[in-house]
Every structure is written in C-alpha cells, then in structure tokens.
Amino acid sequence: MTAPLRSADPIVVPVELGARAYDIVIGRGLISSLGVRIRHLRPGAKVAVVTDSSVAKLHLAAAEATLEAAGVESTRIVVPEGEGSKSYATFEKVCEAVICARIERGDLVVALGGGVIGDLAGYAAASVRRGLDYVQVPTTLLAQVDSSVGGKTGINSAQGKNLVGAFHQPVLVVADTALLDTLSPRVFRAGYAEVAKYGLLGDATFFAWLEANAKDVFSGGAAREHAIAVSCRAKAAIVARDERETGERALLNLGHTFGHALEAGAGFSDRLLHGEAVALGMALAFEFSARKGLAAQSEAARATAHLAAVGLPTHLKDVPGGVPRADALMDLIAQDKKVKRGKLTFILVRGVGQAFVADDVEPAEVRAFLADKLSEK
Ligand code: GLY
C-alpha cells in the first residue's frame, strides 16, 4: 500500500508483461487527455469507439471531443446496454462495424464502458484482422479495478458466461475516476466488493485502511483514487506473475464460485448484480473456511461486518426473491466447471489477506454448509 494521493495527481500503474506491457493511468478528469494519450501512443492511428447506449449519453461526447481536439479520427459503435450484448450477435455487429470503419492493424479500438463493453470490444479487437490493439476506458468502479485490467475478453455462450473469448491485453487503460460520479449508489457499491476483494485476498493492511476509510472512498476524492490505485496495483502484480491463470491468478476469483452460482440462480438479473454476488460469495468463502477450521471465526465475522457495513449483501436471505435450494446451488457450482475428479476448487482463506487455492473440497461438505446457511433465519 502507498500513501494516499492528492486527487490532482494522475497515477500510473505499470502492468509488467514484457512485450505486452502497458500502463493503467488513474485520475480525476483524465478523459479529457484521452486524445493526446492516443496520439502519443499511436501517432496517425484511427480509432473505433465501442460503447453502450447509456454510456454514450453520458460520456461519448467527451470522448469524441478529446479525440477530435487531438486530431484522432474516430468512428462510434454503440450497442445496447447490458449483459445481453455479450452475445454472438452483438459480437458479429461490432466486428463488422470495426471492419467497415477501416480500422486496420496499427489503428485502435477504444472500449468506453463497463465490464460488458470491455469484454466485448476487447474480444472484437482480439479477433478482427487476427488482432487489433485496444484501449480500455472503464466507466464503472468494477471495470476500473478489475475487468479492464488483465486482458480477459469474451462473450457468453448459451451454456455459460465468458465461455468464448481470448486473453488479449489492452495497450493502455485510462481510468477517469470522475466518470464514477454518474453511477447509481448501488452500482458503485457493487464495484466496491471487488475493491474489498483485494484486501481480503492478499493485503490485510489495505483491508484495515478500507475499514477506516470506506466512507471517503464512496464520497469520492483522494481516498477513492487511492483505493482504485491499490486495487489496480494488486491486480497488475498478480497478472504479471500469472497472465493466463495457471496458478495464482485464480485468487482473484475469491467469492466467485459461490457468487457465480448465486448470480446464475438469480438468472443474471438485476436482482443480484455481479459485485453483490461476489460480496455474498466472499462472506460465504470466509464462513466456510472458518467452519473447516482454516480461519478463525472472528476473521469471518470481520470480513462480513465490513461488507455489510457498506450495504453489500452477506447473507443468503439478503437476495431479493430468495435463492435456489442447496442441491440446485450445487448443480450451478458444478456447471461453473470447477469440479476435478469429483472435488471442487474454491478460493479459501486462513484469515483476512490470506487467500489460497483449495482444489480438494468435498462437494458434500459444501452442500451441508449451504443447507445450514439456507436454514438460518
Ligand atoms: N476477474 C478475474 C481475473 O481477471 O482474473
């Protein structure tokens, strides 16, 4: 962890990936520098800006103005808002639009939006002309601290989320923290779950800082930028060591095994946003670890108390409309392809900041845990 920044200082977090290295630039008002940054990065390049209909209303004019002012020719590609756009049909439309805009090797795709846009535009960039470079301009907290960094791109299959995609690193990430001012409190809070995740998985000092400063992270300013920078630095370090998730990168999935099952159980609807499912999944991962005797109950209580204090769901009864029964949740966990030789893989913890990969978890133990949790009042 580093000292909090003055909000006027943009911070640069390098992602050290050799020939695929790039910078994450974080700061308030940075979108106005996008055009100049792109011109310096790729003099003479044209860009296709991929965005969704909601983000277009809020931020496309600012993005286009900075590109125009820097003399960067741009074409806009606007898709419908929401997870439904991570589909083969929308992917095809985006690829065709990028080709029509005559974006060639040497030009750039710009992903202006949240996780859906980053994944979709990144995968189109990975595919058109066998790979175009792209710039991430994340507009949600979740995208700024997680999905825009690390090169996971893709779309959904009828059989599951993110089953079709590619690792394709961006060449630059521009995270303008002022863009988060237009998020609803609920969407901001859901993104905060991924911020807390970095403390919970590997940085107890950062988690203690969040316990003391969460209010300021929510209200904006230097604390928010600091939290985003620490999160990006943590993710960049893990991605640099394990780009393709053969080991340590799996720690970033803390809370995601329970979380994905709960999201699927809610039909990926706005009954449970991804970040909310991750918060609840992290609370369950801590409680399950405590039950197995791996972590002290007080550590699970501490993790859960902080998530609940900021208004995130931490209990199965917090999901509006309820959750599936234990057997159905187990089926959803199995579908998430985390079963090997009859055992489940989970990210478990020995305490706050001490996550590890457990690939030998007995399904019966998880089922009994979920059944007990479901019976709690
Ligand atoms: N969101 C998890 C990862 O990027 O690996």
Side-chain angles (χ1 to χ4, degrees):
M1 226 179 55
T2 54
L5 300 159
R6 284 181 295 113
S7 54
D9 295 336
I11 181 164
V12 179
V13 176
V15 186
E16 311 280 6
L17 283 169
R20 294 181 308 290
Y22 55 95
D23 286 339
I24 308 163
V25 191
I26 301 156
R28 202 167 178 83
L30 280 186
I31 197 156
S32 62
S33 67
L34 181 67
V36 170
R37 287 178 194 279
I38 285 182
R39 196 183 62 209
H40 283 162
L41 186 74
R42 204 53 63 83
K46 298 193 285 299
V47 304
V49 181
V50 182
T51 192
D52 72 38
S53 45
S54 293
V55 174
K57 282 190 204 115
L58 295 165
H59 307 304
L60 185 55
E64 288 178 338
T66 164
L67 291 167
E68 193 184 344
V72 178
E73 192 186 314
S74 73
T75 305
R76 56 166 75 177
I77 301 171
V78 183
V79 305
E81 186 195 3
E83 188 72 26
S85 280
K86 277 178 65 171
S87 64
Y88 289 107
T90 310
F91 171 70
E92 181 184 351
K93 285 197 184 111
V94 172
C95 290
E96 292 299 325
V98 170
I99 295 164
C100 279
R102 300 189 188 286
I103 301 297
E104 318 255 345
R105 295 253 183 99
D107 294 326
L108 291 167
V109 171
V110 174
L112 173 70
V116 167
I117 290 298
D119 285 7
L120 173 70
Y123 188 41
S127 310
V128 173
R129 300 187 196 282
R130 298 198 178 90
L132 297 168
D133 287 342
Y134 73 114
V135 174
Q136 290 272 18
V137 185
T139 59
T140 63
L141 179 58
L142 190 137
Q144 292 193 353
V145 299
D146 183 33
S147 56
S148 71
V149 175
K152 281 189 180 174
T153 72
I155 56 172
N156 301 329
S157 133
Q159 304 190 58
K161 272 183 76 158
N162 299 325
L163 288 182
V164 178
F167 284 99
H168 186 52
Q169 299 291 342
V171 293
L172 173 69
V173 180
V174 177
D176 180 347
T177 57
L179 304 188
L180 308 183
D181 294 345
T182 56
L183 298 179
S184 71
R186 184 183 176 198
V187 169
F188 186 89
R189 194 184 304 119
Y192 181 84
E194 300 276 2
V195 173
K197 182 184 80 176
Y198 293 106
L200 290 171
L201 77 85
D203 189 343
T205 310
F206 181 47
F207 189 73
W209 183 86
L210 289 172
E211 287 176 311
N213 294 282
K215 226 164 149 206
D216 295 337
V217 175
F218 277 77
S219 57
R224 179 183 290 180
E225 273 140 49
H226 177 65
I228 294 170
V230 173
S231 301
C232 286
R233 216 174 271 129
K235 179 148 189 185
I238 291 176
V239 167
R241 292 192 293 264
D242 179 21
E243 184 181 5
R244 293 200 162 232
E245 199 170 309
T246 54
E248 187 192 358
R249 185 166 179 166
L251 296 178
L252 297 172
N253 296 331
L254 176 62
H256 284 62
T257 303
F258 286 124
H260 279 165
L262 294 165
E263 253 186 301
F268 296 104
S269 68
D270 68 2
R271 268 206 295 133
L272 191 64
L273 303 180
H274 175 71
E276 293 170 338
V278 168
L280 183 41
M282 290 193 295
L284 291 172
F286 266 79
E287 284 169 27
F288 184 59
S289 300
R291 178 173 162 132
K292 281 174 72 63
L294 295 164
Q297 184 57 47
S298 56
E299 292 290 278
R302 182 179 169 202
T304 302
H306 179 61
L307 297 169
V310 300
L312 284 163
T314 54
H315 197 287
L316 294 172
K317 71 173 169 9
D318 295 338
V319 181
V323 297
R325 303 186 64 78
D327 286 331
L329 283 174
M330 290 309 292
D331 287 345
L332 291 166
I333 286 173
Q335 268 169 28
D336 206 20
K337 310 225 176 342
K338 293 188 175 81
V339 192
K340 261 192 222 146
R341 291 180 294 280
K343 307 272 180 159
L344 295 167
T345 299
F346 271 86
I347 310 305
L348 299 182
V349 293
R350 297 197 171 87
V352 168
Q354 298 174 65
F356 66 98
V357 182
D359 58 7
D360 57 351
V361 177
E362 288 292 347
E365 218 180 331
V366 181
R367 195 204 164 283
F369 168 71
L370 287 171
D372 285 355
K373 284 277 143 201
L374 283 159
S375 67
E376 278 176 11
K377 293 281 172 270

